[in-house]
Amino acid sequence: MIELRNVTKTFPGSGKSAPFTAVDDVSLTVPRGSVFGVIGHSGAGKSTLLRLINQLERPTSGSVLVDGQELSGLSERGLRPHRRGIGMVFQQFNLFNSRTVYGNTAYPLKLAGLPRAEVRQRAEEALRFVGLADLARRHPEQLSGGQRQRVGIARALAASPKVLLSDEATSALDPETTGEVLALLKRVNEELGITIVLITHEMDVIRRICDRVAVMDGGRVVESGEVYEVFANPQHSTTAAFVRSVLPERPAGATLERLRERHPGALVTVPFRHDGDLGRELSRLLRRYGLDFSLVSGGISEVGQRPLGSVTLELHGTQAEVAAFLADPQLAGVVADGSGAQDSGTHGSGAVAA
């Protein structure tokens, strides 16, 4: 649905300041019907990247294609029909306080010159979809933050876009309202088939609704891919830091030392993935080698409706039993901390001393 080919955006310097490259040679493909997240810290270039898609910012070089049409070479007049197919939802809502909820929703349609009956039909349908039909005559100051963001989404949907761009749409909301707005965006994608590109600095937003993700740092995309695989196996330090913010880590450092003080047996951390059999096989393997265990740490979360995480166990058994257990070839990916009954230094394939 969207393709960026070697796109660079450099802003000219002013006075003594040098030119600044906000987006540096970025190539991305956003599949039709997907929810594509772009994450990065402040200044990473993600907002500029989003504005390049609808050509609110023109690229210094490279090409931007939406639905097969290259936009980067079009005039402002030539862009107008294509921009109508690209809706946008803003962080600060950008509503007119002087207009009602209905008036805000209908305003872009009136500007486009649509007949009054069609304007009413589209605006009312959009408000019903976001659950605000009964608040159509209220003004924005009478609404909560979540309701105002729903108005922003309704306004974008009323134009029947093929693409919806979300610019930090939940960062000004509390956690409960954030969940409601994310659920609404997921409905927009699933029920209306609209491709969504959202930018955020919160990895939990990516985890909850995105299919694919691009991680930006210093104007470049440092990693991209299917969300589950990026979470399960981050390749760049920036990505790993974002993943750690939402998924429990394997115990290390002071946390591991505290666990060792409380649990003298061998500690092992077992990864859980949707495509692995280790979780189902673990109890059987422990029984085979005569081991009991205590659960001491860990957590399993859902990423793309699939489980991902790890648990740390204290094994109860002899040194020989623990060593035999860890030598089992099915235990690839298990990490042992080297304490307790496992101090002999014997590790199975995939069992690595922490």
Side-chain angles (χ1 to χ4, degrees), residues 72-143:
S72 41
L74 297 179
S75 65
E76 282 296 315
R77 184 173 182 177
L79 278 171
R80 287 173 194 162
H82 299 287
R83 281 181 174 153
R84 293 191 193 109
I86 305 174
M88 195 158 186
V89 183
F90 303 91
Q91 177 181 359
Q92 298 300 334
F93 320 129
N94 289 13
L95 302 178
F96 295 108
N97 288 326
S98 60
R99 296 178 181 270
T100 64
V101 166
Y102 172 84
N104 272 279
T105 307
Y107 181 70
L109 305 178
K110 293 178 179 179
L111 278 185
L114 271 63
R116 181 178 297 182
E118 186 175 353
V119 169
R120 178 171 294 278
Q121 177 186 352
R122 286 196 187 192
E124 289 179 349
E125 284 179 356
L127 289 173
R128 281 195 296 272
F129 187 88
V130 303
L132 293 179
D134 57 337
L135 302 180
R137 299 304 167 191
R138 293 193 184 181
H139 285 78
E141 65 267 20
Q142 298 173 289
L143 306 178

Side-chain angles (χ1 to χ4, degrees), residues 33-38 153 164-166 169-170 178-190 194-200 202-213 226-228 231 302-305:
S34 65
V35 182
F36 193 102
V38 180
I153 294 171
L164 184 64
L165 307 180
S166 170
T170 60
T178 291
E180 294 170 357
V181 170
L182 291 178
L184 175 58
L185 290 175
K186 193 65 175 174
R187 277 187 60 218
V188 168
N189 171 251
E190 292 177 345
I194 295 174
T195 304
I196 297 178
V197 180
L198 63 85
I199 63 170
T200 182
E202 301 174 89
M203 200 63 162
D204 190 54
V205 171
I206 303 294
R207 178 185 69 83
R208 291 166 78 166
I209 71 166
C210 292
D211 307 309
R212 299 184 67 82
V213 61
E226 194 266 335
V227 165
Y228 191 91
F231 267 77
E302 275 204 339
V303 177
Q305 301 181 342

